[in-house]
Amino acid sequence: MPTKVNEPQSQGQAPRARGRARSAPPTREMEPMRIAKAMAQAGLCSRRDAEKWIAAGRVVVNGAVLTTPAHVVGSGDTILVDGEPLPALTAPRLWRYHKPKGLVTSHKDPEGRPTVFAALPGEMPRVVSVGRLDINTEGLLLLTTDGALARHLELPSTGWVRRYRVRAHVEPGRELSQGALDALKQGVAIDGIRYGPVDARLERQQGRNVWLNIGLREGKNREVKRIAGHLGLTVNRLIRTSFGPFVLGELRAGAVEEVKRKVLAEQLGADLSRTLGVKS
């Protein structure tokens, strides 16, 4: 079982805002990959936006304007985007962010709602989230510069538990017991969707109001709220307190803290760290 990681806090300061500046992350060789992926890993844009940039003739490889995002590039190629060299690939970086309620986990929201990424400090590089939290959910959200790392951490097969504190109201005519929560360890089917084992504990109950501690590995869309509804509960507050070995701790709402490279390498393990270029 990985050791829980709860690094010392800086009372909500943005990265590098206090203390000695962190050293720049090490660069790494570009393995052969599609140009759209290379642009995304370099932090310029998403793969979807990269495809649009290529279609607009903004990307040149070895003197030729690209016409397809499927073109494979490597460390020996000269790549220009809008006339500027593609930034060198760096080792993945990871941050813990305390997402406040009311922010959408999206780079662009068609409804114009405030987003997580617009709320981040200006000196942050372009990052993607490891999974999502809906607009009314608060708590720990992991952010990374590397899409491959994000996809790996999101997979249920990675085995990392997402843990939540849940405040809910017990619907009239329903009762909640620890026994009913224990039954969730076998998994449950709700409206034709099968949910895997859930670790749920009743922390306290006062009248019709309860606080629960819930841990799950899959992280399907609205999973906690759907399971709660199945038990006759209406969730009125949902806080993610940990994601695998990384915990929210005392990180204040809106604050972001970078995970040290050594800590990240230890939690990923030697093989994956080597593959992604993470060095302690």
Side-chain angles (χ1 to χ4, degrees), residues 32 228 250 262:
E250 299 300 320
K262 180 179 179 180

Side-chain angles (χ1 to χ4, degrees), residues 94-100 103-106 115-117 120 124 127-134 137-144 153-154 162-164 239-243 246-248 251 254-259:
L94 186 74
W95 287 262
R96 294 178 305 121
Y97 173 63
H98 186 156
K99 176 193 172 298
L103 297 182
V104 180
T105 310
S106 175
T115 71
V116 163
F117 301 99
L120 293 175
M124 288 276 289
V127 292
V128 296
S129 63
V130 179
R132 291 171 177 258
L133 294 178
D134 71 30
T137 302
E138 54 194 294
L140 182 65
L141 183 66
L142 297 180
L143 305 171
T144 178
L153 298 183
E154 291 167 357
R162 291 88 154 154
R163 192 162 291 281
Y164 299 81
I239 310 165
R240 184 154 70 188
T241 57
S242 66
F243 192 114
F246 302 103
V247 301
L248 182 64
L251 196 63
V256 60
E257 290 283 348
E258 185 168 4
V259 176

Side-chain angles (χ1 to χ4, degrees), residues 37-265:
K37 180 179 180 180
M39 291 169 62
Q41 287 199 356
L44 287 184
C45 57
S46 67
R47 293 194 199 187
R48 183 174 298 178
D49 284 341
E51 293 173 359
K52 295 178 182 178
W53 292 11
I54 292 165
R58 297 169 60 182
V59 182
V60 175
V61 176
N62 299 329
V65 177
L66 281 194
T67 58
T68 172
H71 185 86
V72 175
V73 295
S75 57
D77 292 306
T78 300
I79 305 168
L80 301 178
V81 179
D82 292 336
E84 297 293 329
L86 186 74
L89 295 185
T90 59
R93 300 167 68 186
L94 186 74
W95 287 262
R96 294 178 305 121
Y97 173 63
H98 186 156
K99 176 193 172 298
K101 184 177 179 180
L103 297 182
V104 180
T105 310
S106 175
H107 284 275
K108 299 177 183 177
D109 182 64
E111 299 178 31
R113 295 171 296 181
T115 71
V116 163
F117 301 99
L120 293 175
E123 62 267 34
M124 288 276 289
R126 185 184 183 278
V127 292
V128 296
S129 63
V130 179
R132 291 171 177 258
L133 294 178
D134 71 30
I135 190 169
N136 291 318
T137 302
E138 54 194 294
L140 182 65
L141 183 66
L142 297 180
L143 305 171
T144 178
T145 53
D146 192 282
L149 175 59
R151 287 189 292 276
H152 173 80
L153 298 183
E154 291 167 357
L155 293 174
S157 58
T158 302
W160 280 4
V161 174
R162 291 88 154 154
R163 192 162 291 281
Y164 299 81
R165 291 195 74 227
V166 184
R167 187 179 68 192
H169 179 76
V170 183
E171 297 170 1
R174 301 292 294 268
E175 297 295 333
L176 181 68
S177 66
Q178 184 59 50
L181 297 175
D182 289 341
L184 297 174
K185 293 180 180 179
Q186 307 305 315
V188 62
I190 304 172
D191 296 331
I193 300 175
R194 183 70 187 177
Y195 296 95
V198 176
D199 174 39
R201 300 192 298 274
L202 179 60
E203 289 188 351
R204 67 178 185 269
Q205 181 168 0
Q206 184 175 10
R208 309 302 295 176
N209 298 306
V210 297
W211 275 100
L212 307 176
N213 187 299
I214 292 180
L216 48 88
R217 297 180 187 274
E218 290 183 314
K220 290 179 179 175
N221 186 38
R222 297 179 61 82
E223 183 171 356
V224 173
K225 292 182 178 179
R226 286 174 175 165
I227 291 173
H230 175 73
L231 296 171
L233 304 174
T234 301
V235 174
N236 48 49
R237 191 173 184 190
L238 182 57
I239 310 165
R240 184 154 70 188
T241 57
S242 66
F243 192 114
F246 302 103
V247 301
L248 182 64
E250 299 300 320
L251 196 63
R252 298 191 309 183
V256 60
E257 290 283 348
E258 185 168 4
V259 176
K260 294 181 174 63
R261 289 196 294 270
K262 180 179 179 180
V263 173
L264 179 58

